[in-house]
Amino acid sequence: MSDSAQNKRWLVLAAAFLGWMFDGMEMGIFPLVARPALQEMQAAAHIVDEQFVQLWMGRITALFLLGAAGGGLVFGWLGDRIGRVRAMSASILCYSLFTGLTYFAQTPWQLGGLRFIAALGMGGEWSLGVALVMETWPKEKRPLMAALIGAAGNLGYVVIATLALFFPVT
């Protein structure tokens, strides 16, 4: 095997691993920042109700999960049409852009909608990252590679939990 092919394998694995790790960090940080954001939104609407926050946390989480599942389908299909690397780049752009736009959400529906679209990109990154790793690594290494990628999301949770111990995240 050439050095170029070996380097490509490691680059693809690193991209998929880091993508899943940052996804895990984002999923871990969102509940920490969503509650205060929803409390601010309800205060702006002159509402004081814990059920409001709980209801919207549930709705936004459901929208996120639906978006992630849909993103795997949409960007997986797109990957078959324009190539996995291009589709993965588009999914990362979608995820990054709409995650950033959540900062500007003024209402719970805006927050939920932006989270849904961001999750489309995240779901695409998940499916395409795994597909690319499985295509570049030898068959006997694929179970280990899948385990490493899967563990990366949990590592992201650990990173954000550790950071939150030292820095208040709200």
Side-chain angles (χ1 to χ4, degrees):
M1 164 175 293
S2 71
D3 285 343
S4 174
Q6 187 65 18
N7 289 343
K8 180 181 175 183
R9 282 183 184 167
W10 286 106
L11 184 60
V12 168
L13 178 62
F17 183 90
L18 290 172
W20 275 52
M21 185 188 81
F22 286 119
D23 293 346
M25 286 179 66
E26 193 274 342
M27 288 184 292
I29 200 170
F30 184 76
L32 299 175
V33 298
R35 176 169 288 284
L38 287 167
Q39 288 169 335
E40 270 186 42
M41 289 176 191
Q42 79 171 349
H46 306 292
I47 302 169
V48 179
D49 184 8
E50 179 58 24
Q51 286 183 322
F52 173 90
V53 173
Q54 292 175 5
L55 176 69
W56 279 102
M57 286 293 288
R59 287 177 177 172
I60 293 168
T61 300
L63 286 167
F64 178 83
L65 293 172
L66 289 170
L73 294 171
V74 169
F75 283 101
W77 174 85
L78 190 61
D80 289 341
R81 302 299 179 277
I82 67 170
R84 297 198 203 302
V85 173
R86 283 189 178 121
M88 187 166 173
S89 297
S91 73
I92 292 169
L93 178 63
C94 175
Y95 166 68
S96 301
L97 179 65
F98 285 93
T99 296
L101 287 173
T102 60
Y103 173 80
F104 300 104
Q106 298 294 309
T107 68
W109 272 112
Q110 290 172 352
L111 186 59
L114 291 168
R115 285 286 288 166
F116 174 81
I117 298 169
L120 288 171
M122 185 183 287
E125 185 267 323
W126 287 347
S127 62
L128 293 165
V130 169
L132 284 166
V133 169
M134 295 304 116
E135 289 173 353
T136 57
W137 281 83
K139 193 174 191 172
E140 67 274 2
K141 299 282 186 188
R142 291 177 186 166
L144 176 61
M145 298 303 111
L148 285 173
I149 295 168
N154 295 321
L155 179 61
Y157 274 102
V158 169
V159 169
I160 198 61
T162 303
L163 287 172
L165 288 174
F166 300 103
F167 303 101
V169 179
T170 59

